[in-house]
Amino acid sequence: MANKLNPIPVGPRAITAYLTIKGAAKGIEFYKRAFGAKELMCWTGKDGRVGHAEIEISGTPLFISDEHPEMGVVSPQTLGGTCVGLHLLVEDADATFKRAIAAGGKAVRPMEDEPWGQKSGTLQDPFGHRWFVTQRTAELSADEMDKIGRAAGFDTQLK
């Protein structure tokens, strides 16, 4: 009997993403609908802005706040785009991608089977953040990954 592939590897996470959202409360609700997020805590200031919130998606924490331009904290909407993407490993990428689109996300790149043992697609949430929704489909060796990288034109250096 073949071993079942663990779609979401278990392990420590030393870095937590911190998203700034114009309308953070709406962002939290979007992540609940789109990705099954669980809200852990939320501090709201007297002005109604979220100063700090913590949610969890598939066991991984994500911090969120509203814009605070007086502190230099602004969102992708204010900046006119983002240069950061969030890579979300899930058990069912097709279902998650569809749910995120139905919740208000916009498809950037459709779901595709990738040669490196993943199925993935890219979407932008309603707040300008880019998400790479991914499902592991195969466990590949370093040699197999090296061959895939070289076939794609990369000088691979897997360790």
Side-chain angles (χ1 to χ4, degrees), residues 24 42 58-59 63 65 112 116 127 134 156:
C42 184
S58 296
F63 297 167
S65 78
E112 296 178 8
W116 49 84
F127 315 99
T134 304
T156 61

Side-chain angles (χ1 to χ4, degrees), residues 74-137:
V74 294
S75 72
Q77 291 169 309
T78 296
L79 293 172
T82 183
C83 64
V84 174
L86 298 152
H87 190 262
L88 177 62
L89 281 167
V90 296
E91 290 188 25
D92 186 339
D94 289 315
T96 302
F97 196 81
K98 287 177 187 171
R99 193 170 62 242
I101 298 303
K106 178 180 145 192
V108 174
R109 188 179 63 81
M111 193 61 56
E112 296 178 8
D113 288 315
E114 308 290 2
W116 49 84
Q118 294 181 343
K119 175 182 267 196
S120 67
T122 307
L123 65 93
Q124 183 172 320
D125 70 26
F127 315 99
H129 296 284
R130 189 161 289 214
W131 293 80
F132 304 99
V133 178
T134 304
Q135 173 184 340
R136 294 177 70 215
T137 57

Side-chain angles (χ1 to χ4, degrees), residues 13-19 52-55 60-64 86:
R13 289 164 176 86
I15 297 175
T16 300
Y18 206 128
L19 303 183
H52 177 78
E54 296 180 12
I55 65 173
T60 301
L62 180 65
F63 297 167
I64 297 172
L86 298 152

Side-chain angles (χ1 to χ4, degrees), residues 131-152:
W131 293 80
F132 304 99
V133 178
T134 304
Q135 173 184 340
R136 294 177 70 215
T137 57
E139 186 76 43
L140 301 179
S141 70
D143 286 340
E144 290 170 311
M145 289 295 288
D146 186 58
K147 287 176 188 172
I148 291 167
R150 289 188 186 284

